[in-house]
Structure formats: C-alpha cells, structure tokens
Amino acid sequence: MTQHLADRTQPTSEARPPRPGGEPQAAAPSRSEWWREAVIYQVYPRSFADGDGDGMGDLAGIRARLPYLAQLGVDAVWLSPFYASPQADAGYDVADYRAIDPMFGNLHDADALIRDAHDLGLRIIVDLVPNHSSDQHEWFQRALRDGPESPLRDRYHFRPGRGTDGELPPNDWESVFGGPAWTRVTTPEGTPGDWYLHLFAPEQPDFNWENPAVRDEFRSVLRFWLDMGVDGFRIDVAHGLVKAPGLPDMGHAGQLRLLGTDVLPFFDQDGVHEIYRAWREILDEYPNQRIGVAEAWAPTEQRTALYVRPDELHQAFNFHYLNTPWDAAELRRVIDASLDSMRPVGAPTTWVLSNHDVVRHRTRLGGGLARARAASLLMLALPGSAYVYQGEELGLPEVTDLPDEARQDPAFFRRGTGGDGQDGQDGLRDGCRVPIPWARDGASFGFGGGTGWLPQPAGWGELSVAAQTGDPDSTLELYRAALAARRAQPALGGGDSVEWLTAPDGVLAFRRSADGGAVLVAANTTDAPVELPAEFAEAGEPLLASGPYRAGGPLPADTTVWWQV
C-alpha cells in the first residue's frame, strides 16, 4: 500500500556537524526549512467533516475538504488522533498505534489523504501519544491476565499499595482529570491487587519509559508512519514520559495548579531529552524535513527551549503565549521572553491562540469577535510558526451551553471524584470541539448528512464557510488575506526578532524587516481609540486591518493593522 511513497522515504546521509564538546550545531535558518515559519492548521477529526453521514467526522471528510485548507493558505495540517481506540478520551487512549479506528476509516483512507494533501502542497502532521496507552492495549490486557509476575507489567507503572492491606495508592499524585492518579486492579483470582499509574483517565495507563521494549516500540511506530509519508508528529504530553526515580510524593494536594510553574516529579523531567534525541536521529534519516513538535508544559520559556535544541525536536508549543491576557505589556513581555529563549538553540518560536483543549480565544480573551480578529492578526505578524485551530478562521466562539447529557470529556465525569475544576482540567473541553459549520443550513450545517456528535448552536450557519466566503468583511476572508500576505511578504513569519517602536500605553507597535521590504504592525489592546505616532500616520493605506480603520486616523479599540513600508 505504501510502495508509491518509496521515493520520499529513502534515508538521507545528511548530518549536522558536531560542535565543540560533541553536541550538534544549531542549523542556520533558511526558507528551505519549511517548519520555521509555517502556518499549521489543527484538524480535530471528530469535528471537521463527516464523510459517511454517521455524525462523526472522519478521514474521508477531511480528505474532501483538503482543497479548502489549501485555499486558506496554510502550509501543513495537524491531525488529532485517529488511531484504533475505545474513545475513552476522544482517541487519546490508543489501543493500536498502527491501525485507524473504524469510526474514522482505515489505513487506505489515511494513505489517500496523505497523497492528496501532498498533491495540494500540504504537509501532514499526525498526533503521537507516547505517555500512555489505552487500557485495552494488548500489552496492558496481557499484563492484567498474566497477573503480578507478568513481565509486561514493567512496561507500565504497577506498584503495590500502601497501608495495612495495600488499600492506599502508592503515592499522592493526582490525575490531570481529577482524583488520584492510581487505580487498583483485581488479580486473576479476584482479590485486590497492585495499583497502576494514570496521569489522565483510568483508561489511560502510563507507559514506563525506563523499559527498553517501550522505547523500541515507539521507534518502530515512528518509522511506520514516516514510511506512510507523514511529514511529522505532534507529541502529546511530551513533557510527561519520564517520572522521577522512586515516584516520590508531592506532599500536598492541588498539584496540577503547579503545571507550567514548577518541575514536577511526573512532568518535565530531564530524562525525556534522551528519548527525543533518539527520535531526532530517525526523523533526520528521512528526506524532506520530517519534524517533531512537542506539547510540553514547561515552567519557563527556557525549559521549553530544551525540547528544541538542535539534536531534539523542531518546535514546541508556546503555551506561555496562549495563556497571556489581552494586555499590551504582558504580551510584549511574553513575546520577548519567547524569542529570547528560542534564539540560543536556533529554533523558531511558535504562536497559538486556540486548540482542542482550551476555550476558543474569541471567548477566552473577552471583547468578542473584534478582539479575536485583532489577536489573530497580531499573532500572524510574529516571527516563527503559527498554529490555527479549526474554526478560528470562522471566528467561532466557545459553545458554553452544551447540556450535561451531551458532554463526552472524561474530565467532566471525574469532577465528582476529586476533580473540582481547580485541581485538574475543568471537564468542559467539549465546548471547543463542536463540529464546525460549512453550510448556512441543514441538520449539521454541512458537517455531514445528519446531526453531529455534539449539538451545534442554532446560529452556527451564519458563521459557516458558505456564509463567509466572498464577504470581504468576514473573518474567513481576513485569514485568507493574512496568510496570503505572510507568503508574499518576506518580513512576515521569518526571522527571530521584532523591532519595538514607541507607542501609546496599551498599544503594541513594531517593525518587521527583511530583504525586500518591511512591515509595520500596531495592535490596540485598549477599549478606546488611540492616536498613533507619525511613522504610522504617514504609512498610508494599510496592507491589512482586523477591523474598520481610516488611514492616518486613530487606531480603534481591539484592532490590529499591518502596513507595508
């Protein structure tokens, strides 16, 4: 089935020259390294397009909509998990890493999707979930069946409990989804047995990455998908694979409040970097720049940069930027810190406003659609790679009124077991996962033949692709124009710095320069119009504006403008 990809998967002999001390040198930035300034579009397969009319998005639906993504102007498509899975956590509980879940299609569909994407000039990045498997994975099921002496138990974290009869968890770690991070199993004889670690749902047991079989398996999985022709991997929970020796207690509750502020015994351990160095060697064997992208919740920008040293991964998500409020001073601080941390390792900074795990930025930032558009235009003017979550180009808000009976986020159902919305995820991630609208009307607004797996709001049709296409004032056409400008303007996207300019309080103003020209950018984060310095007033007609703007006049509230100079 994959023989047609042979010309893309021949190993390359290119290698980075070692620097003093034996570590590889940082690669010199060049436009040939597509990932340095790429715009990458996240597809959440359940909610993008339904090709067979069963209410669930699938690979056939995605394949049919690839021309839309090419026309939008993105460089690559990142697909959230489509692997065989019981779907306890929407596919992030993988039972078979080399198979497609029947709800999404089969390997032939995946192969055709990759081929079509490449024919359209789009690259495909797939999600990889190496921190944990499904509890239905063959290894875990055999470990349960074979009992406490099974060597397969060492591929996970099985431990005896504490207390007189082992009735207490082995340590005090908490699940990201709420409650304890341990579940007790029953022996083949029916008596209480050991406990296993799951930093997420009980259906997602954590792998033990100290076991060589786990490392071997994932090297094989990487090669399987690279041979299929994928262009890279987004690595789920990239910061979580290695746990501190001895699995020490934290000593207090509310541990997940520290996520992104401290190195935890179960997150951001230094041992993860050995794994990614081995993976980088595999990626570099393949031509056409296959990449690895870390979903790494690290305490600082500097620790995030460790994941993208020259011999590790290519990109890391910039969660510090995603979590920054719509405030000029805070945005400037995070932009500077992000760029400063990536520059020494020669990696691009990434920028992201929304994804499948957070409230859509139109709702999260407050200020409605105008602010969301301004934030998007600001993000797309920054140096590095930008991520767009499906539907943000339509200006979709978070759906906040889903009925409880419709929700499927596993964290929602664990809130009564110790997860109160503060100690873990709030369980309300379904609001950003509602199927996106393609048509003005119909049972699912063009998503598929019937209703979607989550209910869509009644007014979804007015935000649809059909309703916005051709409307010069629509958010969709703003994104299309912005992405076209990024391709046409060397000063946008590339590089690793911005030149800050004097501006009134509450306004971000900077220049981006490159051979062939420069672009001025101003973003007003306040709730009132502001007068801009003469340099902007004299710049003439804007290249692009997120909202109504009169050349030479004040910059309206919640508005970002680009000028070509």
Side-chain angles (χ1 to χ4, degrees):
M1 182 178 70
T2 59
Q3 193 165 2
H4 70 278
L5 297 172
D7 61 328
R8 297 184 230 156
T9 57
Q10 293 301 311
T12 176
S13 60
E14 294 178 2
R16 303 180 195 281
R19 64 188 178 197
E23 296 184 21
Q25 296 178 1
S30 73
R31 294 187 69 84
S32 65
E33 294 179 311
W34 65 272
W35 42 274
R36 289 189 173 274
E37 55 191 86
V39 176
I40 300 174
Y41 186 99
Q42 181 189 357
V43 164
Y44 192 68
R46 286 170 162 246
S47 303
F48 188 67
D50 173 14
D52 61 9
D54 66 355
M56 185 68 66
D58 48 39
L59 297 184
I62 298 168
R63 184 184 176 196
R65 299 292 187 178
L66 287 174
Y68 164 79
L69 297 178
Q71 183 186 33
L72 183 61
V74 301
D75 300 288
V77 180
W78 153 34
L79 302 173
S80 292
F82 47 64
Y83 308 108
S85 165
Q87 304 294 318
D89 183 24
Y92 282 94
D93 50 316
V94 180
D96 187 341
Y97 290 85
R98 297 176 183 82
I100 308 295
D101 195 282
M103 73 164 57
F104 298 127
N106 55 44
L107 283 173
H108 293 283
D109 295 317
D111 183 65
L113 188 156
I114 294 167
R115 281 209 252 183
D116 284 2
H118 288 169
D119 288 344
L120 289 166
L122 297 169
R123 299 176 189 261
I124 294 292
I125 297 169
V126 298
D127 233 309
L128 188 66
V129 188
N131 179 70
H132 47 262
S133 74
S134 165
D135 62 353
Q136 300 304 304
H137 191 285
E138 179 188 7
W139 286 0
F140 193 78
Q141 286 294 304
R142 285 175 55 195
L144 295 181
R145 288 196 305 268
D146 295 349
E149 303 306 317
S150 172
L152 276 82
R153 292 202 172 196
D154 189 54
R155 299 181 185 185
Y156 297 91
H157 293 278
F158 279 87
R159 296 289 187 277
R162 297 189 289 194
T164 305
D165 298 311
E167 71 278 9
L168 300 176
N171 68 20
D172 66 357
W173 293 0
E174 296 171 349
S175 164
V176 173
F177 288 167
W182 295 89
T183 290
R184 197 174 192 183
V185 303
T186 302
T187 68
E189 293 75 30
T191 59
D194 288 341
W195 299 70
Y196 67 90
L197 176 68
H198 53 86
L199 290 178
F200 295 87
E203 296 88 352
Q204 295 169 293
D206 279 45
F207 283 118
N208 174 16
W209 275 85
E210 303 302 324
N211 187 300
V214 174
R215 299 192 179 215
D216 289 345
E217 169 67 0
F218 276 90
R219 285 193 289 265
S220 174
V221 169
L222 287 174
R223 292 186 186 280
F224 178 87
W225 289 103
L226 289 168
D227 288 342
M228 281 278 290
V230 303
D231 299 285
F233 302 91
R234 176 266 191 186
I235 301 159
D236 185 61
V237 196
H239 55 297
L241 277 55
V242 173
K243 278 65 174 176
L247 310 185
D249 280 337
M250 281 286 293
H252 59 81
Q255 298 158 16
L256 270 299
R257 298 174 192 175
L258 301 177
L259 181 57
T261 64
D262 292 75
V263 176
L264 305 175
F266 43 83
F267 283 153
D268 198 34
Q269 292 290 304
D270 289 338
V272 298
H273 299 291
E274 177 187 350
I275 297 168
Y276 299 132
R277 284 191 287 272
W279 288 13
R280 180 58 178 263
E281 292 180 0
I282 294 173
L283 292 169
D284 284 350
E285 291 177 11
Y286 288 79
N288 301 327
Q289 302 170 21
R290 318 298 176 92
I291 71 167
V293 182
E295 185 215 17
W297 288 86
T300 65
E301 290 90 345
Q302 290 73 26
R303 286 197 67 85
T304 300
L306 298 179
Y307 290 81
V308 289
R309 287 176 287 192
D311 58 345
E312 294 192 40
L313 302 173
H314 299 75
Q315 293 184 351
F317 284 134
N318 190 346
F319 292 117
H320 302 282
Y321 185 78
L322 184 149
N323 287 316
T324 304
W326 185 241
D327 175 86
E330 277 299 296
L331 285 164
R332 177 167 174 172
R333 182 190 66 78
V334 171
I335 290 168
D336 281 341
S338 300
L339 294 169
D340 289 347
S341 66
M342 293 296 161
R343 203 174 291 118
V345 297
T349 305
T350 65
W351 312 100
V352 60
L353 290 169
S354 293
N355 65 35
H356 66 291
D357 280 335
V358 301
V359 173
R360 287 186 177 275
H361 72 271
R362 172 174 172 175
T363 301
R364 188 182 73 252
L365 294 178
L369 182 58
R371 183 170 296 176
R373 288 164 58 101
S376 297
L377 212 56
L378 171 62
M379 176 188 77
L380 292 171
L382 295 172
S385 179
Y387 280 78
V388 174
Y389 177 52
Q390 64 177 41
E392 75 173 70
E393 79 277 15
L394 304 177
L396 297 186
E398 185 82 356
V399 179
T400 58
D401 58 354
L402 287 171
D404 288 356
E405 60 270 19
R407 294 191 178 276
Q408 300 193 28
D409 185 348
F412 177 80
F413 301 102
R414 284 179 61 79
R415 292 196 299 172
T417 64
D420 60 2
Q422 297 296 319
D423 295 337
Q425 290 180 333
D426 61 15
L428 305 179
R429 295 176 297 167
D430 293 315
C432 65
R433 301 175 176 182
V434 172
I436 67 173
W438 295 91
R440 288 181 180 271
D441 49 30
S444 61
F445 301 106
F447 167 69
T451 57
W453 67 284
L454 285 173
Q456 299 159 298
W460 224 225
E462 293 309 305
L463 296 172
S464 66
V465 172
Q468 297 196 42
T469 295
D471 178 356
D473 297 324
S474 72
T475 303
L476 175 58
E477 296 299 347
L478 175 69
Y479 269 76
R480 286 173 171 163
L483 297 185
R486 270 181 67 106
R487 287 179 180 265
Q489 298 290 333
L492 290 170
D496 61 4
S497 63
V498 300
E499 177 189 352
W500 294 109
L501 304 173
T502 301
D505 289 344
V507 174
L508 287 169
F510 56 88
R511 177 185 286 108
R512 301 291 323 286
S513 301
D515 291 342
V519 173
L520 295 180
V521 179
N524 182 3
T525 69
T526 74
D527 57 4
V530 295
E531 295 292 338
L532 291 173
E535 183 174 8
F536 292 88
E538 297 167 358
E541 289 296 326
L543 175 65
L544 199 59
S546 67
Y549 170 73
R550 179 177 56 83
L555 182 62
D558 290 330
T559 301
T560 299
V561 180
W562 297 354
W563 294 265
Q564 183 179 357
V565 294

